[in-house]
Short mmCIF file of all heavy atoms in Angstrom, two decimals:
data_model
loop_
_atom_site.label_atom_id
_atom_site.label_comp_id
_atom_site.label_asym_id
_atom_site.label_seq_id
_atom_site.Cartn_x
_atom_site.Cartn_y
_atom_site.Cartn_z
N ALA A 4 19.76 12.83 -10.05
CA ALA A 4 19.82 13.05 -8.61
C ALA A 4 20.50 11.90 -7.89
O ALA A 4 21.34 12.11 -7.04
CB ALA A 4 18.42 13.24 -8.05
N ARG A 5 20.13 10.66 -8.24
CA ARG A 5 20.68 9.57 -7.47
C ARG A 5 22.16 9.38 -7.72
O ARG A 5 22.93 9.14 -6.82
CB ARG A 5 19.98 8.26 -7.77
CG ARG A 5 20.62 7.16 -6.92
CD ARG A 5 20.51 5.80 -7.52
NE ARG A 5 21.06 5.77 -8.84
CZ ARG A 5 21.60 4.69 -9.36
NH1 ARG A 5 21.69 3.60 -8.67
NH2 ARG A 5 22.05 4.70 -10.58
N ALA A 8 23.98 11.87 -5.82
CA ALA A 8 23.88 11.59 -4.39
C ALA A 8 24.76 10.41 -4.02
O ALA A 8 25.48 10.44 -3.03
CB ALA A 8 22.43 11.30 -4.03
N GLN A 26 21.71 16.82 0.79
CA GLN A 26 21.39 16.13 -0.46
C GLN A 26 20.04 15.44 -0.35
O GLN A 26 19.16 15.58 -1.19
CB GLN A 26 22.50 15.12 -0.75
CG GLN A 26 22.08 13.99 -1.70
CD GLN A 26 21.65 12.75 -0.97
OE1 GLN A 26 22.35 12.30 -0.06
NE2 GLN A 26 20.50 12.22 -1.33
N ALA A 27 19.88 14.67 0.71
CA ALA A 27 18.69 13.82 0.80
C ALA A 27 17.44 14.65 1.02
O ALA A 27 16.35 14.23 0.67
CB ALA A 27 18.86 12.81 1.92
N ALA A 28 17.62 15.84 1.56
CA ALA A 28 16.44 16.66 1.84
C ALA A 28 15.72 17.05 0.55
O ALA A 28 14.63 17.59 0.59
CB ALA A 28 16.83 17.91 2.61
N SER A 29 16.33 16.81 -0.59
CA SER A 29 15.65 17.20 -1.82
C SER A 29 14.60 16.20 -2.36
O SER A 29 14.03 16.48 -3.41
CB SER A 29 16.66 17.56 -2.89
OG SER A 29 17.31 16.43 -3.34
N THR A 30 14.03 14.94 -1.79
CA THR A 30 12.93 14.06 -2.40
C THR A 30 11.75 13.72 -1.44
O THR A 30 12.05 13.18 -0.41
CB THR A 30 13.47 12.72 -2.86
OG1 THR A 30 14.59 12.87 -3.62
CG2 THR A 30 12.56 11.93 -3.67
N ARG A 31 10.36 14.01 -1.56
CA ARG A 31 9.25 13.35 -0.85
C ARG A 31 8.08 13.06 -1.77
O ARG A 31 8.17 13.31 -2.95
CB ARG A 31 8.89 14.15 0.39
CG ARG A 31 7.73 15.09 0.32
CD ARG A 31 7.80 16.08 1.45
NE ARG A 31 7.20 17.30 1.10
CZ ARG A 31 7.51 18.47 1.67
NH1 ARG A 31 8.37 18.51 2.63
NH2 ARG A 31 6.97 19.54 1.28
N GLY A 52 17.48 12.34 6.58
CA GLY A 52 16.48 12.75 5.61
C GLY A 52 16.13 11.69 4.60
O GLY A 52 15.90 11.98 3.43
N CYS A 53 16.08 10.45 5.05
CA CYS A 53 15.66 9.34 4.19
C CYS A 53 14.56 8.56 4.89
O CYS A 53 14.28 8.78 6.06
CB CYS A 53 16.85 8.41 3.90
SG CYS A 53 17.96 9.03 2.60
N HIS A 68 22.46 4.62 -0.90
CA HIS A 68 22.91 5.99 -1.18
C HIS A 68 22.58 6.94 -0.04
O HIS A 68 23.06 8.09 -0.05
CB HIS A 68 22.38 6.49 -2.52
CG HIS A 68 20.97 7.01 -2.52
ND1 HIS A 68 19.89 6.25 -2.90
CD2 HIS A 68 20.48 8.22 -2.19
CE1 HIS A 68 18.79 6.98 -2.81
NE2 HIS A 68 19.12 8.19 -2.37
N CYS A 69 21.79 6.49 0.93
CA CYS A 69 21.53 7.31 2.13
C CYS A 69 22.63 7.13 3.19
O CYS A 69 22.67 7.89 4.16
CB CYS A 69 20.19 6.92 2.75
SG CYS A 69 18.76 7.32 1.73
N ASP A 113 21.16 -0.66 -4.72
CA ASP A 113 20.95 0.46 -3.78
C ASP A 113 20.13 0.01 -2.57
O ASP A 113 18.98 0.39 -2.41
CB ASP A 113 20.26 1.62 -4.52
CG ASP A 113 20.32 2.91 -3.72
OD1 ASP A 113 21.00 2.95 -2.67
OD2 ASP A 113 19.65 3.88 -4.14
N TYR A 177 15.51 6.39 -19.53
CA TYR A 177 16.79 6.26 -18.83
C TYR A 177 17.87 5.50 -19.60
O TYR A 177 19.02 5.52 -19.20
CB TYR A 177 16.56 5.60 -17.47
CG TYR A 177 15.69 6.43 -16.55
CD1 TYR A 177 14.48 5.95 -16.07
CD2 TYR A 177 16.06 7.72 -16.20
CE1 TYR A 177 13.67 6.71 -15.24
CE2 TYR A 177 15.26 8.50 -15.37
CZ TYR A 177 14.06 7.99 -14.90
OH TYR A 177 13.28 8.76 -14.09
N ALA A 189 8.35 2.64 -11.64
CA ALA A 189 6.92 2.81 -11.38
C ALA A 189 6.54 4.27 -11.55
O ALA A 189 7.32 5.17 -11.22
CB ALA A 189 6.57 2.35 -9.97
N ASP A 197 4.70 10.61 -7.63
CA ASP A 197 6.05 10.02 -7.58
C ASP A 197 6.62 10.18 -6.18
O ASP A 197 6.11 10.98 -5.38
CB ASP A 197 6.95 10.78 -8.58
CG ASP A 197 8.25 10.05 -8.95
OD1 ASP A 197 8.45 8.90 -8.52
OD2 ASP A 197 9.05 10.67 -9.69
N THR A 198 7.67 9.41 -5.91
CA THR A 198 8.52 9.72 -4.76
C THR A 198 9.41 10.89 -5.16
O THR A 198 9.50 11.25 -6.33
CB THR A 198 9.37 8.50 -4.37
OG1 THR A 198 9.91 7.93 -5.56
CG2 THR A 198 8.53 7.46 -3.65
N CYS A 199 10.07 11.49 -4.18
CA CYS A 199 10.92 12.64 -4.47
C CYS A 199 12.01 12.69 -3.39
O CYS A 199 12.07 11.82 -2.52
CB CYS A 199 10.07 13.91 -4.50
SG CYS A 199 10.86 15.32 -5.32
N GLN A 200 12.88 13.71 -3.43
CA GLN A 200 13.97 13.80 -2.47
C GLN A 200 13.44 13.74 -1.04
O GLN A 200 12.47 14.41 -0.69
CB GLN A 200 14.76 15.09 -2.68
CG GLN A 200 15.98 14.94 -3.59
CD GLN A 200 15.68 14.29 -4.91
OE1 GLN A 200 14.69 14.61 -5.54
NE2 GLN A 200 16.52 13.38 -5.33
N GLY A 201 14.09 12.93 -0.23
CA GLY A 201 13.65 12.72 1.16
C GLY A 201 12.86 11.43 1.34
O GLY A 201 12.68 10.96 2.45
N ASP A 202 12.38 10.87 0.23
CA ASP A 202 11.69 9.58 0.29
C ASP A 202 12.65 8.41 0.11
O ASP A 202 12.29 7.26 0.35
CB ASP A 202 10.62 9.48 -0.82
CG ASP A 202 9.46 10.43 -0.59
OD1 ASP A 202 9.03 10.56 0.57
OD2 ASP A 202 9.01 11.05 -1.57
N SER A 203 13.85 8.71 -0.34
CA SER A 203 14.83 7.66 -0.62
C SER A 203 14.96 6.69 0.54
O SER A 203 14.94 7.09 1.69
CB SER A 203 16.20 8.28 -0.87
OG SER A 203 16.28 8.67 -2.19
N GLY A 204 15.14 5.44 0.19
CA GLY A 204 15.31 4.42 1.23
C GLY A 204 14.00 3.84 1.72
O GLY A 204 13.97 2.77 2.31
N VAL A 222 12.99 3.14 -2.58
CA VAL A 222 13.08 4.41 -3.31
C VAL A 222 14.55 4.72 -3.61
O VAL A 222 15.37 4.77 -2.68
CB VAL A 222 12.46 5.57 -2.51
CG1 VAL A 222 12.58 6.88 -3.31
CG2 VAL A 222 11.01 5.28 -2.15
N SER A 223 14.88 4.91 -4.89
CA SER A 223 16.29 5.08 -5.25
C SER A 223 16.56 6.38 -6.01
O SER A 223 17.28 7.24 -5.53
CB SER A 223 16.76 3.87 -6.05
OG SER A 223 18.14 3.93 -6.32
N TRP A 224 15.98 6.55 -7.21
CA TRP A 224 16.31 7.74 -7.99
C TRP A 224 15.30 7.98 -9.10
O TRP A 224 14.38 7.21 -9.31
CB TRP A 224 17.72 7.65 -8.57
CG TRP A 224 17.96 6.53 -9.54
CD1 TRP A 224 18.14 5.20 -9.24
CD2 TRP A 224 18.05 6.62 -10.96
NE1 TRP A 224 18.33 4.48 -10.39
CE2 TRP A 224 18.29 5.32 -11.46
CE3 TRP A 224 17.95 7.69 -11.87
CZ2 TRP A 224 18.44 5.05 -12.83
CZ3 TRP A 224 18.10 7.42 -13.24
CH2 TRP A 224 18.34 6.11 -13.70
N GLY A 225 15.52 9.07 -9.83
CA GLY A 225 14.70 9.43 -10.97
C GLY A 225 15.20 10.74 -11.54
O GLY A 225 15.98 11.44 -10.88
N ASP A 226 14.78 11.08 -12.74
CA ASP A 226 15.08 12.40 -13.30
C ASP A 226 14.03 13.36 -12.74
O ASP A 226 12.85 13.28 -13.12
CB ASP A 226 15.01 12.38 -14.83
CG ASP A 226 16.23 11.75 -15.47
OD1 ASP A 226 17.23 11.52 -14.75
OD2 ASP A 226 16.20 11.51 -16.68
N GLY A 227 14.45 14.23 -11.85
CA GLY A 227 13.49 15.12 -11.20
C GLY A 227 12.48 14.30 -10.43
O GLY A 227 12.76 13.18 -10.00
N CYS A 228 11.28 14.85 -10.25
CA CYS A 228 10.20 14.12 -9.56
C CYS A 228 8.89 14.32 -10.31
O CYS A 228 8.54 15.46 -10.65
CB CYS A 228 10.01 14.65 -8.14
SG CYS A 228 11.48 14.58 -7.10
N ALA A 229 8.20 13.22 -10.55
CA ALA A 229 6.85 13.26 -11.09
C ALA A 229 6.77 13.89 -12.48
O ALA A 229 5.72 14.39 -12.90
CB ALA A 229 5.90 14.00 -10.13
N ARG A 230 7.89 13.89 -13.20
CA ARG A 230 7.87 14.44 -14.56
C ARG A 230 7.21 13.44 -15.51
O ARG A 230 7.39 12.22 -15.36
CB ARG A 230 9.30 14.69 -15.06
CG ARG A 230 10.02 15.76 -14.27
CD ARG A 230 11.38 16.00 -14.90
NE ARG A 230 12.21 16.86 -14.07
CZ ARG A 230 13.46 17.13 -14.35
NH1 ARG A 230 14.05 16.63 -15.43
NH2 ARG A 230 14.16 17.92 -13.55
N ALA A 233 9.05 10.16 -17.03
CA ALA A 233 10.24 9.82 -16.21
C ALA A 233 9.81 9.12 -14.93
O ALA A 233 9.65 9.75 -13.89
CB ALA A 233 11.03 11.09 -15.90
N PRO A 234 9.64 7.79 -15.00
CA PRO A 234 9.17 7.04 -13.83
C PRO A 234 10.18 7.10 -12.68
O PRO A 234 11.36 7.38 -12.91
CB PRO A 234 9.06 5.60 -14.34
CG PRO A 234 9.21 5.65 -15.82
CD PRO A 234 9.91 6.92 -16.15
N GLY A 235 9.72 6.81 -11.48
CA GLY A 235 10.62 6.63 -10.36
C GLY A 235 11.35 5.30 -10.51
O GLY A 235 10.79 4.34 -11.05
N VAL A 236 12.59 5.25 -10.06
CA VAL A 236 13.39 4.02 -10.14
C VAL A 236 13.62 3.50 -8.71
O VAL A 236 14.00 4.27 -7.83
CB VAL A 236 14.73 4.26 -10.86
CG1 VAL A 236 15.51 2.96 -10.99
CG2 VAL A 236 14.50 4.90 -12.23
N TYR A 237 13.35 2.21 -8.55
CA TYR A 237 13.36 1.56 -7.24
C TYR A 237 14.28 0.35 -7.26
O TYR A 237 14.34 -0.37 -8.27
CB TYR A 237 11.94 1.11 -6.88
CG TYR A 237 10.98 2.29 -6.79
CD1 TYR A 237 10.43 2.86 -7.93
CD2 TYR A 237 10.67 2.86 -5.56
CE1 TYR A 237 9.59 3.97 -7.86
CE2 TYR A 237 9.83 3.96 -5.47
CZ TYR A 237 9.30 4.50 -6.63
OH TYR A 237 8.47 5.61 -6.55
N1 LIG B 301 17.42 10.16 -4.57
C1 LIG B 301 16.25 10.61 -3.86
C2 LIG B 301 16.55 10.74 -2.36
O1 LIG B 301 17.70 10.73 -2.01
C3 LIG B 301 15.03 9.82 -4.25
C4 LIG B 301 14.59 10.21 -5.62
C5 LIG B 301 13.37 9.53 -6.10
N2 LIG B 301 13.01 10.22 -7.31
C6 LIG B 301 11.96 9.92 -8.08
N3 LIG B 301 11.72 10.68 -9.09
N4 LIG B 301 11.17 8.91 -7.79
O2 LIG B 301 15.69 11.04 -1.55
#
Side-chain angles (χ1 to χ4, degrees):
R5 180 207 56 150
Q26 158 264 312
S29 71
T30 311
R31 98 198 151 205
C53 281
H68 82 262
C69 293
D113 194 7
Y177 297 120
D197 197 4
T198 45
C199 197
Q200 267 52 43
D202 292 319
S203 276
V222 180
S223 185
W224 63 283
D226 283 349
C228 303
R230 295 184 189 175
V236 183
Y237 298 80

